[in-house]
Amino acid sequence: MKMLITGGAGFIGGNFIHYMIENHPKDYIICLDKLTYAGNLETLEPVMNKENFKFIKGDIADRSFIYKLFEEEKPDVVVNFAAESHVDRSISDPGVFLQTNIIGTGVLLDACRIYGIERFHQVSTDEVYGDLPLDRPDLMFTEETPIHASSPYSASKASADLLVLAYHRTYGLPVTVSRCSNNYGPYQFPEKLIPLMIANALNDKPLPVYGKGENVRDWLYVIDHCRAIDMIIRKGKAGEIYNIGGHNEKTNLEVVKTILRELGKSEDLIKFVADRPGHDKRYAIDPSKIRKELGWEPTTLFDEGIKLTIRWYLDNRKWWENIISGEYQDYYKKMYGNR
Ligand code: NAD
Protein backbone atom coordinates (compact mmCIF):
# COMPACT_ATOMS: atom_id res chain seq x y z
CA MET A 1 0.00 0.00 0.00
CA LYS A 2 1.29 3.46 -0.91
CA MET A 3 0.20 5.97 1.69
CA LEU A 4 0.31 9.77 1.46
CA ILE A 5 0.44 11.23 4.95
CA THR A 6 -0.05 14.99 5.10
CA GLY A 7 1.16 16.99 8.10
CA GLY A 8 3.56 14.19 9.05
CA ALA A 9 6.21 16.57 10.37
CA GLY A 10 3.76 17.61 13.10
CA PHE A 11 2.93 15.97 16.40
CA ILE A 12 0.33 13.27 15.63
CA GLY A 13 1.30 12.78 11.97
CA GLY A 14 4.94 12.26 13.02
CA ASN A 15 3.96 9.69 15.63
CA PHE A 16 1.72 8.02 13.04
CA ILE A 17 4.63 7.72 10.58
CA HIS A 18 6.84 6.12 13.26
CA TYR A 19 3.98 3.77 14.12
CA MET A 20 3.36 2.78 10.48
CA ILE A 21 7.04 2.20 9.64
CA GLU A 22 7.35 -0.01 12.72
CA ASN A 23 4.10 -1.95 12.29
CA HIS A 24 3.65 -2.08 8.50
CA PRO A 25 7.17 -2.24 7.02
CA LYS A 26 5.81 -3.38 3.65
CA ASP A 27 3.80 -0.19 3.11
CA TYR A 28 5.38 2.79 1.35
CA ILE A 29 4.97 6.12 3.14
CA ILE A 30 5.14 9.57 1.56
CA CYS A 31 5.04 12.44 4.01
CA LEU A 32 3.83 15.75 2.58
CA ASP A 33 4.28 18.76 4.85
CA LYS A 34 4.51 22.51 4.35
CA LEU A 35 6.83 22.80 7.38
CA THR A 36 5.01 25.66 9.02
CA TYR A 37 6.24 26.75 12.46
CA ALA A 38 4.59 23.51 13.77
CA GLY A 39 6.35 21.15 11.37
CA ASN A 40 9.73 19.84 12.42
CA LEU A 41 11.90 17.53 10.32
CA GLU A 42 13.82 16.46 13.42
CA THR A 43 10.69 14.49 14.35
CA LEU A 44 11.18 12.43 11.18
CA GLU A 45 14.95 12.03 11.58
CA PRO A 46 14.70 8.35 12.65
CA VAL A 47 12.87 7.37 9.42
CA MET A 48 14.43 9.78 6.90
CA ASN A 49 16.78 7.17 5.42
CA LYS A 50 14.31 4.25 5.33
CA GLU A 51 13.78 2.79 1.87
CA ASN A 52 9.99 2.81 2.25
CA PHE A 53 9.83 6.50 3.24
CA LYS A 54 9.97 9.75 1.32
CA PHE A 55 9.53 13.36 2.48
CA ILE A 56 8.10 16.03 0.19
CA LYS A 57 7.76 19.66 1.18
CA GLY A 58 4.55 21.28 -0.07
CA ASP A 59 1.21 22.91 0.66
CA ILE A 60 -2.03 20.89 0.59
CA ALA A 61 -3.84 24.02 -0.63
CA ASP A 62 -1.59 24.39 -3.71
CA ARG A 63 -3.82 22.79 -6.35
CA SER A 64 -1.39 22.42 -9.25
CA PHE A 65 1.33 21.07 -6.96
CA ILE A 66 -1.06 18.53 -5.38
CA TYR A 67 -2.41 17.33 -8.75
CA LYS A 68 1.15 16.85 -10.03
CA LEU A 69 2.04 14.91 -6.88
CA PHE A 70 -0.97 12.60 -7.31
CA GLU A 71 -0.18 12.10 -10.98
CA GLU A 72 3.43 11.14 -10.21
CA GLU A 73 2.98 9.17 -6.99
CA LYS A 74 -0.51 7.65 -7.36
CA PRO A 75 -1.13 7.02 -3.63
CA ASP A 76 -3.59 4.27 -2.63
CA VAL A 77 -4.50 5.91 0.67
CA VAL A 78 -4.40 9.52 1.92
CA VAL A 79 -4.40 10.35 5.63
CA ASN A 80 -4.89 14.06 6.17
CA PHE A 81 -3.29 15.33 9.37
CA ALA A 82 -2.16 18.66 7.84
CA ALA A 83 -3.84 21.53 9.61
CA GLU A 84 -3.36 24.70 11.52
CA SER A 85 -4.08 23.22 14.94
CA HIS A 86 -3.71 25.77 17.71
CA VAL A 87 -6.96 27.34 18.99
CA ASP A 88 -5.25 30.46 20.39
CA ARG A 89 -3.60 31.20 17.03
CA SER A 90 -6.99 30.74 15.29
CA ILE A 91 -8.42 33.46 17.53
CA SER A 92 -5.68 35.95 16.67
CA ASP A 93 -5.34 35.03 12.95
CA PRO A 94 -8.21 32.90 11.55
CA GLY A 95 -7.41 33.35 7.83
CA VAL A 96 -4.70 30.70 7.52
CA PHE A 97 -6.98 28.21 9.32
CA LEU A 98 -9.62 28.60 6.60
CA GLN A 99 -6.98 28.33 3.88
CA THR A 100 -5.26 25.16 5.11
CA ASN A 101 -8.02 23.38 7.00
CA ILE A 102 -10.89 23.97 4.56
CA ILE A 103 -9.40 24.87 1.15
CA GLY A 104 -6.48 22.46 1.61
CA THR A 105 -8.81 19.56 2.46
CA GLY A 106 -10.96 20.46 -0.56
CA VAL A 107 -7.92 20.35 -2.88
CA LEU A 108 -6.90 16.92 -1.55
CA LEU A 109 -10.45 15.62 -2.04
CA ASP A 110 -10.50 16.88 -5.63
CA ALA A 111 -7.18 15.19 -6.32
CA CYS A 112 -8.57 11.93 -4.90
CA ARG A 113 -11.69 12.29 -7.05
CA ILE A 114 -9.68 12.94 -10.23
CA TYR A 115 -6.84 10.44 -9.79
CA GLY A 116 -8.71 7.77 -7.79
CA ILE A 117 -8.08 6.51 -4.27
CA GLU A 118 -8.83 3.46 -2.13
CA ARG A 119 -9.36 5.51 1.03
CA PHE A 120 -9.22 9.16 2.11
CA HIS A 121 -9.05 9.51 5.88
CA GLN A 122 -9.67 12.86 7.55
CA VAL A 123 -8.14 13.31 11.00
CA SER A 124 -10.60 15.50 12.87
CA THR A 125 -11.29 16.58 16.42
CA ASP A 126 -13.96 16.33 19.13
CA GLU A 127 -13.87 20.14 19.18
CA VAL A 128 -16.29 20.17 16.21
CA TYR A 129 -19.02 19.17 18.69
CA GLY A 130 -18.55 22.32 20.80
CA ASP A 131 -18.49 21.76 24.55
CA LEU A 132 -20.42 20.11 27.37
CA PRO A 133 -21.43 21.62 30.73
CA LEU A 134 -19.17 20.90 33.72
CA ASP A 135 -22.13 19.78 35.88
CA ARG A 136 -23.41 17.00 33.56
CA PRO A 137 -20.78 14.23 33.72
CA ASP A 138 -23.35 11.86 32.17
CA LEU A 139 -23.19 13.67 28.79
CA MET A 140 -20.67 12.60 26.11
CA PHE A 141 -20.17 13.29 22.41
CA THR A 142 -21.38 10.51 20.10
CA GLU A 143 -21.04 10.48 16.29
CA GLU A 144 -24.65 11.74 16.15
CA THR A 145 -23.99 14.84 18.33
CA PRO A 146 -24.66 17.91 16.14
CA ILE A 147 -21.71 20.01 15.05
CA HIS A 148 -21.52 23.15 17.20
CA ALA A 149 -18.00 24.57 16.85
CA SER A 150 -16.82 27.38 19.16
CA SER A 151 -13.49 28.65 17.76
CA PRO A 152 -12.29 29.51 14.25
CA TYR A 153 -10.10 26.38 14.54
CA SER A 154 -12.97 24.02 15.35
CA ALA A 155 -15.26 25.72 12.79
CA SER A 156 -12.63 25.19 10.09
CA LYS A 157 -12.22 21.51 11.07
CA ALA A 158 -16.03 21.06 11.09
CA SER A 159 -16.22 22.61 7.59
CA ALA A 160 -13.57 20.18 6.37
CA ASP A 161 -15.48 17.23 7.87
CA LEU A 162 -18.64 18.31 6.02
CA LEU A 163 -16.73 18.56 2.74
CA VAL A 164 -15.23 15.10 3.23
CA LEU A 165 -18.64 13.54 3.92
CA ALA A 166 -20.23 15.44 1.00
CA TYR A 167 -17.59 13.99 -1.37
CA HIS A 168 -18.69 10.54 -0.25
CA ARG A 169 -22.37 11.28 -0.83
CA THR A 170 -21.92 13.16 -4.12
CA TYR A 171 -18.98 11.39 -5.78
CA GLY A 172 -18.93 8.09 -3.89
CA LEU A 173 -15.38 8.84 -2.65
CA PRO A 174 -14.33 6.17 -0.09
CA VAL A 175 -13.77 8.45 2.90
CA THR A 176 -13.65 8.04 6.67
CA VAL A 177 -13.48 10.69 9.40
CA SER A 178 -12.14 10.26 12.94
CA ARG A 179 -12.85 12.72 15.73
CA CYS A 180 -10.39 12.36 18.56
CA SER A 181 -10.07 13.94 21.98
CA ASN A 182 -6.94 15.80 23.17
CA ASN A 183 -3.70 13.94 22.47
CA TYR A 184 -0.46 14.00 24.43
CA GLY A 185 2.88 12.26 24.03
CA PRO A 186 6.31 12.65 22.38
CA TYR A 187 7.01 15.30 19.70
CA GLN A 188 4.18 17.68 20.67
CA PHE A 189 4.97 21.33 19.93
CA PRO A 190 5.62 23.15 23.21
CA GLU A 191 2.79 25.66 22.75
CA LYS A 192 0.19 23.00 23.71
CA LEU A 193 -0.79 22.48 27.38
CA ILE A 194 1.21 19.40 28.43
CA PRO A 195 4.58 20.07 26.70
CA LEU A 196 4.38 23.78 27.57
CA MET A 197 3.91 22.95 31.24
CA ILE A 198 6.71 20.36 31.21
CA ALA A 199 9.11 22.78 29.47
CA ASN A 200 8.26 25.70 31.79
CA ALA A 201 8.48 23.53 34.92
CA LEU A 202 11.89 22.20 33.86
CA ASN A 203 13.05 25.80 33.33
CA ASP A 204 11.46 26.95 36.64
CA LYS A 205 9.27 29.39 34.70
CA PRO A 206 5.64 30.21 35.69
CA LEU A 207 3.01 27.73 34.41
CA PRO A 208 0.17 29.82 32.86
CA VAL A 209 -3.25 28.23 33.52
CA TYR A 210 -6.37 29.71 31.91
CA GLY A 211 -9.14 30.94 34.28
CA LYS A 212 -9.34 28.69 37.33
CA GLY A 213 -8.02 25.64 35.48
CA GLU A 214 -11.47 23.99 35.68
CA ASN A 215 -11.84 23.17 31.97
CA VAL A 216 -12.03 19.44 31.39
CA ARG A 217 -10.30 17.61 28.53
CA ASP A 218 -10.42 13.90 27.67
CA TRP A 219 -6.73 12.93 27.27
CA LEU A 220 -5.53 10.18 24.94
CA TYR A 221 -1.95 8.94 24.54
CA VAL A 222 -0.96 9.65 20.93
CA ILE A 223 -0.02 6.04 20.07
CA ASP A 224 -3.54 4.89 20.99
CA HIS A 225 -4.82 7.48 18.49
CA CYS A 226 -2.40 6.23 15.79
CA ARG A 227 -3.56 2.63 16.33
CA ALA A 228 -7.19 3.72 15.99
CA ILE A 229 -6.53 5.52 12.68
CA ASP A 230 -4.66 2.48 11.35
CA MET A 231 -7.68 0.28 12.21
CA ILE A 232 -10.14 2.70 10.59
CA ILE A 233 -8.12 2.83 7.36
CA ARG A 234 -7.94 -0.96 7.14
CA LYS A 235 -11.31 -2.03 8.59
CA GLY A 236 -13.52 1.07 8.86
CA LYS A 237 -16.55 1.50 6.60
CA ALA A 238 -16.48 4.21 3.92
CA GLY A 239 -18.70 7.18 4.67
CA GLU A 240 -18.48 6.66 8.45
CA ILE A 241 -17.36 8.87 11.33
CA TYR A 242 -15.54 7.27 14.29
CA ASN A 243 -15.10 9.00 17.66
CA ILE A 244 -11.83 8.21 19.46
CA GLY A 245 -11.32 8.85 23.17
CA GLY A 246 -9.89 7.23 26.25
CA HIS A 247 -12.36 8.07 29.08
CA ASN A 248 -9.50 10.00 30.68
CA GLU A 249 -11.21 13.22 31.74
CA LYS A 250 -9.05 15.62 33.73
CA THR A 251 -9.27 19.32 34.59
CA ASN A 252 -6.37 21.39 33.27
CA LEU A 253 -5.36 22.09 36.86
CA GLU A 254 -5.20 18.34 37.66
CA VAL A 255 -2.94 17.82 34.63
CA VAL A 256 -0.62 20.68 35.62
CA LYS A 257 -0.40 19.50 39.24
CA THR A 258 0.40 15.94 38.08
CA ILE A 259 3.28 17.27 35.94
CA LEU A 260 4.67 19.35 38.82
CA ARG A 261 4.42 16.36 41.17
CA GLU A 262 6.18 14.04 38.70
CA LEU A 263 8.98 16.59 38.22
CA GLY A 264 9.29 17.31 41.96
CA LYS A 265 8.49 21.02 41.41
CA SER A 266 6.43 23.38 43.59
CA GLU A 267 2.80 24.27 42.84
CA ASP A 268 3.85 27.89 43.49
CA LEU A 269 4.93 27.90 39.81
CA ILE A 270 1.23 27.86 38.76
CA LYS A 271 0.07 31.26 37.51
CA PHE A 272 -3.64 31.73 36.73
CA VAL A 273 -4.14 33.95 33.65
CA ALA A 274 -7.19 35.56 31.96
CA ASP A 275 -9.36 32.90 30.32
CA ARG A 276 -9.33 32.24 26.56
CA PRO A 277 -12.34 33.90 24.80
CA GLY A 278 -15.10 31.32 24.12
CA HIS A 279 -13.11 28.69 26.05
CA ASP A 280 -14.86 25.29 25.77
CA LYS A 281 -15.72 23.96 29.22
CA ARG A 282 -15.67 20.21 28.86
CA TYR A 283 -15.03 17.63 26.12
CA ALA A 284 -15.90 13.97 26.62
CA ILE A 285 -15.95 11.33 23.91
CA ASP A 286 -18.12 8.24 23.76
CA PRO A 287 -15.90 5.76 21.86
CA SER A 288 -18.46 2.85 21.88
CA LYS A 289 -18.75 2.71 18.08
CA ILE A 290 -15.06 2.16 17.32
CA ARG A 291 -14.83 -0.29 20.23
CA LYS A 292 -17.82 -2.37 19.09
CA GLU A 293 -17.26 -2.20 15.32
CA LEU A 294 -13.45 -2.29 15.07
CA GLY A 295 -12.39 -3.68 18.46
CA TRP A 296 -10.27 -0.62 19.34
CA GLU A 297 -9.46 0.04 23.01
CA PRO A 298 -7.02 2.57 24.47
CA THR A 299 -4.14 0.73 26.11
CA THR A 300 -2.27 3.54 27.90
CA LEU A 301 -3.73 4.87 31.16
CA PHE A 302 -3.13 8.57 31.83
CA ASP A 303 -0.90 7.89 34.85
CA GLU A 304 1.36 5.74 32.68
CA GLY A 305 1.17 7.96 29.55
CA ILE A 306 2.08 11.13 31.41
CA LYS A 307 5.15 9.43 32.91
CA LEU A 308 6.22 8.24 29.42
CA THR A 309 5.68 11.74 28.04
CA ILE A 310 7.65 13.49 30.79
CA ARG A 311 10.45 10.92 30.38
CA TRP A 312 10.53 11.66 26.63
CA TYR A 313 10.80 15.45 27.17
CA LEU A 314 13.57 14.87 29.72
CA ASP A 315 15.46 12.56 27.33
CA ASN A 316 14.93 14.79 24.27
CA ARG A 317 15.65 18.25 25.59
CA LYS A 318 17.44 19.22 22.38
CA TRP A 319 14.26 18.62 20.32
CA TRP A 320 12.14 21.12 22.25
CA GLU A 321 14.89 23.52 23.27
CA ASN A 322 15.70 23.98 19.57
CA ILE A 323 12.04 24.83 18.91
CA ILE A 324 11.85 27.25 21.81
CA SER A 325 15.04 29.02 20.73
CA GLY A 326 13.96 29.08 17.07
CA GLU A 327 17.05 27.16 16.03
CA TYR A 328 14.97 24.43 14.43
CA GLN A 329 14.14 26.81 11.58
CA ASP A 330 17.84 27.00 10.68
CA TYR A 331 18.08 23.22 11.11
CA TYR A 332 15.95 22.52 8.06
CA LYS A 333 18.06 24.65 5.71
CA LYS A 334 21.30 23.31 7.15
CA MET A 335 20.25 19.66 6.87
CA TYR A 336 18.12 19.64 3.75
CA GLY A 337 18.81 22.86 1.83
CA ASN A 338 15.70 24.28 0.17
CA ARG A 339 13.93 20.96 -0.40
P1 NAD B 1 0.50 20.01 14.49
O1 NAD B 1 0.20 21.47 14.48
O2 NAD B 1 1.51 19.48 15.46
O3 NAD B 1 0.97 19.54 13.04
C1 NAD B 1 0.36 20.01 11.87
C2 NAD B 1 1.32 19.72 10.71
O4 NAD B 1 0.66 20.14 9.50
C3 NAD B 1 2.64 20.48 10.79
O5 NAD B 1 3.71 19.61 10.50
C4 NAD B 1 2.51 21.55 9.70
O6 NAD B 1 3.75 21.91 9.12
C5 NAD B 1 1.61 20.86 8.70
N1 NAD B 1 0.86 21.80 7.85
C6 NAD B 1 0.20 22.92 8.25
N2 NAD B 1 -0.34 23.53 7.17
C7 NAD B 1 -0.03 22.78 6.08
C8 NAD B 1 -0.33 22.88 4.70
N3 NAD B 1 -1.04 23.90 4.22
N4 NAD B 1 0.13 21.93 3.86
C9 NAD B 1 0.88 20.89 4.33
N5 NAD B 1 1.21 20.75 5.64
C10 NAD B 1 0.74 21.68 6.51
O7 NAD B 1 -0.91 19.30 14.69
P2 NAD B 1 -1.28 17.95 15.46
O8 NAD B 1 -1.54 18.26 16.88
O9 NAD B 1 -0.31 16.91 15.10
O10 NAD B 1 -2.69 17.62 14.79
C11 NAD B 1 -2.76 16.85 13.59
C12 NAD B 1 -4.21 16.73 13.16
O11 NAD B 1 -4.95 16.10 14.21
C13 NAD B 1 -4.89 18.07 12.92
O12 NAD B 1 -5.70 17.94 11.79
C14 NAD B 1 -5.72 18.31 14.16
O13 NAD B 1 -6.86 19.07 13.86
C15 NAD B 1 -6.06 16.90 14.56
N6 NAD B 1 -6.29 16.66 16.00
C16 NAD B 1 -5.36 17.06 16.92
C17 NAD B 1 -5.56 16.78 18.27
C18 NAD B 1 -4.53 17.15 19.32
O14 NAD B 1 -4.79 16.96 20.51
N7 NAD B 1 -3.36 17.64 18.96
C19 NAD B 1 -6.72 16.11 18.68
C20 NAD B 1 -7.64 15.71 17.70
C21 NAD B 1 -7.40 16.00 16.37
Side-chain angles (χ1 to χ4, degrees), residues 10-12 33-34 36 39 59-60 81 85 100 124 153 157 183:
F11 163 47
I12 308 175
D33 199 294
K34 187 179 174 185
T36 67
D59 185 342
I60 59 165
F81 290 93
S85 70
T100 287
S124 188
Y153 162 67
K157 292 294 292 183
N183 283 216

Side-chain angles (χ1 to χ4, degrees), residues 70-302:
F70 271 68
E71 204 174 308
E72 285 170 3
E73 299 289 351
K74 299 184 178 48
D76 304 306
V77 170
V78 174
V79 187
N80 184 26
F81 290 93
E84 288 292 333
S85 70
H86 193 42
V87 175
D88 289 343
R89 288 180 189 253
S90 83
I91 294 170
S92 52
D93 184 15
V96 66
F97 285 71
L98 312 192
Q99 179 65 17
T100 287
N101 300 2
I102 308 175
I103 305 292
T105 303
V107 168
L108 289 173
L109 288 166
D110 279 337
C112 291
R113 187 165 64 85
I114 293 164
Y115 296 98
I117 200 83
E118 284 174 26
R119 176 60 59 92
F120 177 91
H121 182 73
Q122 175 71 359
V123 181
S124 188
T125 164
D126 61 354
E127 297 193 30
V128 301
Y129 298 121
D131 65 350
L132 296 163
L134 290 175
D135 58 359
R136 288 291 308 274
D138 54 313
L139 296 180
M140 285 190 285
F141 299 132
T142 72
E143 289 80 359
E144 275 73 48
T145 303
I147 279 180
H148 198 259
S150 310
S151 68
Y153 162 67
S154 52
S156 68
K157 292 294 292 183
S159 308
D161 287 9
L162 293 176
L163 264 183
V164 172
L165 296 167
Y167 272 58
H168 175 69
R169 170 85 190 240
T170 304
Y171 304 110
L173 206 69
V175 306
T176 36
V177 174
S178 56
R179 292 179 177 153
C180 189
S181 58
N182 279 51
N183 283 216
Y184 68 102
Y187 300 111
Q188 189 168 26
F189 196 89
E191 67 183 353
K192 302 282 170 69
L193 183 80
I194 288 182
L196 177 70
M197 298 301 158
I198 296 173
N200 281 15
L202 286 172
N203 288 330
D204 290 310
K205 282 173 62 181
L207 273 55
V209 175
Y210 280 135
K212 294 179 188 157
E214 287 172 334
N215 304 60
V216 173
R217 299 293 179 260
D218 183 358
W219 292 97
L220 185 71
Y221 192 61
V222 64
I223 299 302
D224 281 329
H225 186 190
C226 295
R227 210 164 30 78
I229 294 171
D230 185 24
M231 283 174 130
I232 296 169
I233 293 164
R234 283 161 213 274
K235 299 197 286 180
K237 204 168 144 231
E240 294 290 313
I241 300 166
Y242 295 91
N243 280 354
I244 308 170
H247 288 305
N248 256 319
E249 287 184 48
K250 306 265 175 225
T251 66
N252 288 348
L253 194 56
E254 277 177 281
V255 171
V256 171
K257 285 185 175 176
T258 305
I259 292 168
L260 288 170
R261 200 169 50 244
E262 288 293 328
L263 289 171
K265 299 281 182 175
S266 162
E267 288 184 11
D268 293 345
L269 284 174
I270 295 173
K271 181 170 181 258
F272 293 101
V273 296
D275 212 349
R276 166 193 281 167
H279 202 178
D280 284 337
K281 295 208 175 335
R282 173 176 166 254
Y283 304 136
I285 278 273
D286 176 356
S288 322
K289 177 174 170 179
I290 188 168
R291 197 180 57 229
K292 281 190 208 131
E293 292 185 13
L294 306 185
W296 176 85
E297 293 273 4
T299 56
T300 315
L301 293 174
F302 185 78

